[in-house]
């Protein structure tokens, strides 16, 4: 879907831009594409998700620019994680994520495609020289950014006398006015209802297919790694159903397992069967045939986790899908084995079972240990054993308190979700993985103080931005105003 969005963006530049040719427009956005494309963030799920969502919103912004007679619009704030690591001297807001990527936030408020392309490149610290040199009619970026797309710039007295609206003044007001939940729902409720009604038959079909396949294969669950549309998910389940009919004998070993549709095929570190959405049935067949070998490797992995636990005073090694990269079973085993060998050679003096009840996860893209708000230790695979020992001893009591707080928070979160769903007659209320429990709790508490008849029968997703998804789901930021 992201590739289609980018292709559409480039095509719009080709068809609508009066100052760039088709080839020039594609070349202009190519550096941006390679800097932020989610496919390059496979080991960083949070950054990939943010970039996916921002690309969707960028696509919607450009679509609005193309609408005939479209005059009023709202500035759109976007955030991208950029692979470049050099500091930026521009005036856009920047910060560095824990994984080292640069987070760039900027607001688009241009009214033509050329200025928008220049805005994107400049905001992400990407060169615009190749764009400026393509056509002599291309204005410098500052000028393009500060003017509206009008052949004549009228004096202010013209608008006072005629009563017409000053487009520049409208733009300034739009930038000053912060989007509120009520105003956004007023503007987008009709669009969301229309999309939701259109998706209802497909939603029923998806539920039917999921129940039938889960029952036939005796699966524990069927999941999706990304937020694909309903039609896309139905297509994937139809493909799995055809494979079941053609090769039922190879699916005898899936009983009790979870199937996850994702970017690549194999078995995940959590023990789920991964089916790559870009793979053909031949690749899926090989995965199902190799399941006995995967199960043997999984037993070795569990044994390795127990050995690490014994060396670290009984602390439990866990893998959390929402917080860690999607690793294959083979990749995770190699990570555990390397860490185990380092611990075994260091002979750390942990008292047996002194750390029972505590939890830790291994991370390959960190260099210093840390304690998560939910109480589990986040340990780098390259961490110095002596430093690791000191850190765990120093933070053990705090970790136990955080674990207890986590249990209480999870109960509170579930209660608030159930109460909010019932109060607003929602069909579904859920959150994106990047939204923490504390953020979800804060969001629901404030929602319950409002009167929101717009939400009846809707699917509401708590996220970091405002958006109407292709199937009618409403996305609102957890810290809405």
């Amino acid at each position: 879907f992201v590739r289609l969005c980018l292709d559409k963006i480039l095509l719009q530049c080709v068809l609508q831009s009066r100052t760039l040719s088709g080839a020039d427009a594609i070349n202009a956005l190519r550096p941006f594409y390679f800097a932020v494309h989610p496919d390059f963030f496979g080991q960083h799920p949070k950054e990939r998700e943010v970039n996916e969502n921002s690309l969707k919103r960028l696509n919607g912004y450009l679509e609005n620019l193309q609408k005939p007679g479209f005059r009023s619009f709202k500035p759109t704030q976007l955030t991208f994680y950029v692979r470049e690591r050099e500091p930026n001297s521009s005036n856009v807001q920047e910060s560095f994520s824990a994984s080292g990527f640069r987070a760039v936030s900027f607001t688009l408020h241009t009214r033509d495609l050329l200025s928008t392309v220049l805005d994107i490149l400049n905001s992400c610290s990407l060169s615009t020289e190749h764009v400026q040199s393509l056509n002599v009619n291309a204005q410098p970026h500052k000028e393009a950014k500060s003017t509206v797309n009008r052949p004549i710039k009228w004096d202010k007295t013209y608008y006072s006398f005629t009563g017409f609206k000053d487009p520049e003044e409208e733009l300034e007001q739009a930038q000053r006015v912060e989007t509120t939940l009520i105003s956004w729902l007023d503007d987008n409720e009709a669009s969301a209802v229309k999309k939701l009604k259109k998706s209802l038959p497909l939603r029923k079909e998806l539920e039917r297919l999921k129940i039938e396949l889960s029952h036939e294969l005796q699966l524990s669950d069927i999941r999706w790694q990304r937020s694909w549309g309903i039609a896309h998910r139905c297509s994937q389940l139809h493909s799995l159903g055809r494979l079941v009919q053609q090769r039922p004998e190879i699916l005898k070993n899936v009983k009790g397992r979870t199937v996850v549709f994702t970017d690549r095929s194999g078995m995940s570190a959590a023990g789920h069967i991964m089916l790559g959405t870009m793979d053909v049935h031949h690749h899926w067949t090989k995965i199902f045939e190799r399941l006995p070998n995967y199960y043997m490797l999984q037993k070795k992995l569990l044994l390795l986790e127990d050995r690490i636990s014994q060396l670290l005073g009984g602390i439990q090694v866990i893998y959390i899908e929402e917080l860690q990269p999607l690793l294959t079973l083979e990749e995770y085993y190699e990570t555990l084995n390397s860490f185990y060998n380092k611990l075994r050679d260091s002979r750390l003096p942990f008292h047996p079972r002194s750390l029972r009840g505590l939890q830790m996860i291994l991370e390959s893209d960190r260099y210093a240990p840390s304690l998560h708000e939910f109480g589990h230790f986040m340990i780098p695979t390259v961490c110095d054993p002596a430093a690791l020992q000191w850190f765990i001893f120093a933070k053990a009591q705090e970790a136990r308190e955080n674990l207890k707080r986590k249990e209480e928070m999870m109960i509170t979160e579930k209660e608030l979700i159930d109460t909010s769903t019932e109060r607003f007659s929602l069909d579904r209320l859920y959150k994106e993985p990047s939204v923490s429990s504390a953020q979800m709790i804060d969001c629901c508490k404030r929602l319950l103080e409002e009167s929101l008849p717009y939400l009846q029968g809707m699917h509401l997703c708590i996220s970091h931005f405002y958006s109407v998804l292709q199937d009618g789901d409403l996305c609102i930021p957890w810290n809405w105003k």
Side-chain angles (χ1 to χ4, degrees):
F1 176 78
V2 174
R3 289 194 186 96
L4 290 175
C5 285
L6 282 165
D7 289 341
K8 182 181 277 188
I9 291 172
L10 297 177
L11 182 59
Q12 288 165 347
C13 291
V14 172
L15 297 178
Q16 300 293 333
S17 177
R18 295 172 182 265
T19 56
L20 292 178
S21 69
D24 289 342
I26 292 174
N27 288 330
L29 281 177
R30 187 167 291 151
F32 170 72
Y33 172 87
F34 283 110
V36 305
H37 197 287
D39 283 359
F40 301 138
F41 291 75
Q43 297 298 309
H44 306 278
K46 176 186 174 183
E47 287 81 0
R48 180 180 62 193
E49 181 183 353
V50 170
N51 283 9
E52 278 185 346
N53 291 329
S54 293
L55 284 170
K56 293 176 186 177
R57 298 181 68 209
L58 174 59
N59 181 57
Y61 179 90
L62 291 174
E63 281 184 344
N64 285 335
L65 286 182
Q66 318 309 316
K67 291 180 180 178
F70 188 79
R71 292 184 59 191
S72 63
F73 70 100
K74 295 182 179 179
T76 299
Q77 184 174 9
L78 301 174
T79 297
F80 287 100
Y81 282 99
V82 185
R83 292 190 300 158
E84 297 173 340
R85 295 175 183 267
E86 294 80 5
N88 187 346
S89 59
S90 67
N91 60 358
V92 295
Q93 301 174 10
E94 293 184 359
S95 63
F96 284 83
S97 69
S99 54
F101 293 105
R102 180 163 53 91
V104 180
S105 296
F106 55 91
T107 301
L108 291 178
H109 45 74
T110 47
R111 290 178 179 246
D112 64 278
L113 282 169
L114 175 60
S115 298
T116 303
V117 170
L118 290 172
D119 235 348
I120 294 169
L121 296 175
N122 274 287
S123 298
C124 293
S125 303
L126 298 172
S127 174
T128 60
E129 293 181 2
H130 59 296
V131 183
Q132 305 276 358
S133 62
L134 292 176
N135 194 305
V136 293
N137 294 326
Q139 297 178 345
H141 181 50
K142 284 188 177 180
E143 183 181 348
K145 187 174 181 179
S146 62
T147 61
V148 294
N149 189 22
R150 286 175 54 86
I152 301 175
K153 184 175 181 179
W154 297 100
D155 189 86
K156 298 293 182 181
T157 56
Y158 167 79
Y159 300 105
S160 300
F161 181 77
T162 62
F164 294 149
K165 292 183 178 180
D166 183 350
E168 289 187 347
E169 186 176 323
E170 282 185 303
L171 175 60
E172 291 174 1
Q173 289 177 352
Q175 290 178 260
R176 288 195 299 267
V177 175
E178 187 176 23
T179 301
T180 65
L181 177 62
I182 301 298
S183 65
W184 186 83
L185 288 174
D186 279 338
D187 293 340
N188 294 276
E189 180 199 10
S191 171
V193 170
K194 183 179 179 181
K195 290 181 178 180
L196 180 61
K197 287 182 177 178
K198 186 178 179 181
S199 73
L200 289 179
L202 276 176
R203 290 180 186 271
K204 292 180 180 178
E205 174 71 2
L206 178 66
E207 188 65 21
R208 182 188 67 80
L209 288 170
K210 186 176 178 180
I211 292 174
E212 286 183 359
L213 282 171
S214 296
H215 177 73
E216 185 173 0
L217 299 176
Q218 300 184 57
L219 295 172
S220 173
D221 195 10
I222 297 177
R223 302 179 191 170
W224 285 264
Q225 180 200 3
R226 296 193 185 182
S227 53
W228 283 297
I230 304 297
H232 196 165
R233 296 187 181 198
C234 285
S235 176
Q236 292 159 359
L237 291 184
H238 278 299
S239 294
L240 180 57
R242 286 193 297 270
L243 182 60
V244 172
Q245 293 176 355
Q246 296 167 3
R247 298 289 303 279
E249 74 282 356
I250 65 170
L251 296 162
K252 59 184 178 182
N253 295 314
V254 301
K255 181 179 179 180
R257 293 285 170 168
T258 294
V259 168
V260 181
F261 290 97
T262 180
D263 294 328
R264 51 180 175 166
S265 298
M267 179 167 279
S268 72
H272 303 325
I273 302 169
M274 301 190 302
L275 300 181
T277 57
M278 300 300 291
D279 292 338
V280 296
H281 281 184
H282 175 68
H283 295 98
W284 289 6
T285 300
K286 282 189 173 182
I287 296 302
F288 288 121
E289 290 174 344
R290 292 179 58 191
L291 284 180
N293 294 331
Y294 280 126
Y295 295 157
M296 290 177 61
L297 181 59
Q298 190 178 25
K299 289 181 179 178
K300 293 181 180 179
L301 186 146
L302 295 174
L303 181 60
L304 201 52
E305 288 181 339
D306 287 340
R307 289 176 177 173
I308 293 174
S309 176
Q310 292 171 10
L311 292 175
L312 293 178
I315 190 170
Q316 182 186 8
V317 183
I318 60 174
Y319 177 83
I320 304 177
E321 292 179 278
E322 293 81 6
L323 299 178
Q324 294 179 258
L326 186 65
L327 301 176
T328 65
L329 199 64
E330 298 93 332
E331 290 169 343
Y332 190 50
Y333 181 84
E334 290 299 321
T335 299
L336 286 173
N337 192 47
S338 174
F339 185 72
Y340 169 71
N341 290 331
K342 179 183 290 188
L343 282 180
R344 184 186 56 188
D345 296 339
S346 65
R347 300 178 182 273
L348 294 177
F350 281 99
H351 189 278
R353 297 184 296 279
S354 61
L355 298 176
R356 287 188 66 180
L358 297 181
Q359 300 174 339
M360 62 167 279
I361 65 174
L362 281 175
E363 294 195 330
S364 57
D365 58 354
R366 289 177 178 266
Y367 295 94
S370 61
L371 179 63
H372 193 270
E373 61 175 341
F374 279 174
H376 55 265
F377 291 97
M378 305 174 74
I379 307 300
T381 54
V382 297
C383 184
D384 176 66
L388 171 63
Q389 179 187 5
W390 177 87
F391 183 82
I392 291 179
F393 281 147
K395 297 287 186 178
Q397 183 57 35
E398 184 180 350
R400 295 187 190 279
E401 294 172 358
N402 286 3
L403 282 170
K404 183 178 180 181
R405 192 181 306 118
K406 171 192 173 183
E407 295 176 0
E408 297 171 351
M409 193 175 292
M410 298 296 285
I411 293 173
T412 302
E413 180 183 10
K414 185 180 185 307
E415 290 176 348
L416 284 171
I417 290 175
D418 292 342
T419 303
S420 300
T421 302
E422 182 179 355
R423 163 78 181 277
F424 300 115
S425 300
L426 289 164
D427 195 67
R428 185 188 178 201
L429 173 60
Y430 63 103
K431 68 173 184 176
E432 289 188 341
S434 56
V435 176
S436 68
S437 291
Q439 292 170 337
M440 187 67 172
I441 290 172
D442 176 70
C443 176
C444 290
K445 283 182 176 179
R446 293 191 298 113
L447 280 175
L448 288 170
E449 297 174 358
E450 302 291 328
S451 176
L452 301 170
Y454 319 84
L455 300 181
Q456 184 174 354
M458 301 302 294
H459 292 243
L460 182 63
C461 173
I462 308 304
S463 177
H464 297 278
F465 58 90
Y466 286 104
S467 179
V468 178
L469 301 184
Q470 58 183 322
D471 294 306
D473 293 44
L474 289 166
C475 284
I476 65 170
W478 69 270
N479 55 347
W480 53 269
K481 305 297 182 182

